[in-house]
Amino acid sequence: MNSDRSSRAEQRFSEALRLFEQVGNSRGVADVLDGMAMRQFMDGDVTGAIVAFDRVAALALDVGDLLRAVVPRSTGGHALVFAGRALEGLHRTEEALDLARSLGHADGEAFALWHRSEALTAVGRLDEALDDAGAARAIAERLGHRGWTATAVRAQGLALRAGADLAHAEDAFRTSLVLSGQVRLFASWAHAQLAMVLIDRGALDEAGTQAAAALAEGPALAHFEARLAACRLAARGHAVAGAPDLSAALATAATSGHGSSAAELALL
């Protein structure tokens, strides 16, 4: 899944699910369903992933695997933010954060803080969003978790851009890109958001380079932001090679349930 081999991931998940069901291991079943929900999300099916994450979180709680419930509850909240249902997403991420903290689960706390920060930015509570992103970054750096550090810095950049602090937002996304390493989802997100900031700052040539890089890597989930950046550039007369036109990008976002980018594309 993390190397963008979706069909192979589906085969492996299906095999693992069959084996766990054969031996009656409910925790194993929940674990596999969690991975399958994440694959659905990475493949860009935002609407389906919301339902899948809710089901996995409920199953994990039913079998008493509280640690397992943190990730699907938080990621389900993140999916709701992408769906344009930010207030619902905020509630989900708060549930996940409370659970992680009650269990002393620092990794889960950093994860949920990242997601809550993005939800807070989406509802316009920017100071709180920056506080959460900073707290997520501090935990991730203490744990030596490069991936959650990259996403915490992304969350900082989103809040800064929403507050029109474009210089610091640009610094944040460049840092997130460096930290993303081989995690192609995070790298594509960083390229796309850096392109957005550069568009806002009028640096359209470099923005085009960043948008093209965002489209060239990462799973389908990453490409909603990449297409939005490319369409914003096209609206300013800077075409990005290989990018879909506005109507195609809007149709893909709407069909997949990525309401946040669909709303911005509709404004274009």
Side-chain angles (χ1 to χ4, degrees):
M1 182 177 69
N2 289 324
S3 59
D4 300 339
R5 298 165 66 192
S6 181
S7 61
R8 186 59 172 153
E10 183 64 23
Q11 292 171 5
R12 291 290 193 179
F13 281 136
S14 297
E15 181 183 1
L17 183 60
R18 177 179 58 81
L19 291 170
F20 278 125
E21 288 175 339
Q22 282 180 356
V23 298
N25 186 326
S26 56
R27 290 194 177 197
V29 168
D31 190 31
V32 175
L33 290 176
D34 189 7
M36 294 177 79
M38 190 66 76
R39 182 203 59 78
Q40 193 170 8
F41 191 37
M42 299 267 275
D43 281 352
D45 181 5
V46 178
T47 302
I50 291 168
V51 176
F53 283 128
D54 276 351
R55 183 172 64 246
V56 172
L59 179 58
L61 292 171
D62 286 345
V63 301
D65 193 352
L66 301 183
L67 283 177
R68 170 57 64 192
V70 172
V71 168
R73 182 65 79 210
S74 188
T75 312
H78 200 209
L80 283 164
V81 173
F82 285 150
R85 298 158 59 187
L87 192 57
E88 292 176 70
L90 179 59
H91 293 155
R92 288 283 202 288
T93 58
E94 286 175 339
E95 290 172 359
L97 181 58
D98 288 345
L99 183 56
R101 283 174 169 167
S102 71
L103 297 170
H105 182 24
D107 184 299
E109 184 178 359
F111 188 72
L113 280 166
W114 154 38
H115 287 156
R116 190 172 74 166
S117 176
E118 292 204 19
L120 286 165
T121 292
V123 299
R125 292 160 58 180
L126 303 183
D127 289 343
E128 294 170 80
L130 283 170
D131 287 344
D132 271 9
R137 183 174 183 176
I139 295 170
E141 288 176 342
R142 173 169 57 82
L143 296 175
H145 198 308
R146 187 182 179 97
W148 297 162
T149 305
T151 54
V153 177
R154 163 188 161 85
Q156 289 177 318
L158 290 172
L160 290 164
R161 178 175 171 243
D165 187 348
L166 299 182
H168 287 108
E170 180 179 339
D171 289 343
F173 292 126
R174 289 191 189 280
T175 300
S176 184
L177 181 59
V178 171
L179 290 167
S180 294
Q182 300 302 309
V183 184
R184 299 180 67 209
L185 170 65
F186 299 166
S188 181
W189 273 343
H191 281 301
Q193 288 298 329
L194 181 54
M196 304 274 204
V197 173
L198 291 168
I199 293 168
D200 294 340
R201 302 194 77 181
L204 301 186
D205 289 340
E206 187 185 354
T209 300
Q210 296 294 337
L215 286 166
E217 66 175 311
L221 178 62
H223 293 165
F224 294 106
E225 294 181 12
R227 286 190 290 269
L228 175 58
C231 287
R232 287 190 65 205
L233 278 162
R236 295 192 177 204
H238 285 250
V240 176
D245 64 21
L246 178 58
S247 60
L250 179 55
T252 299
T255 301
S256 302
H258 201 281
S260 58
S261 66
E264 292 195 57
L265 289 165
L267 287 175
L268 283 178

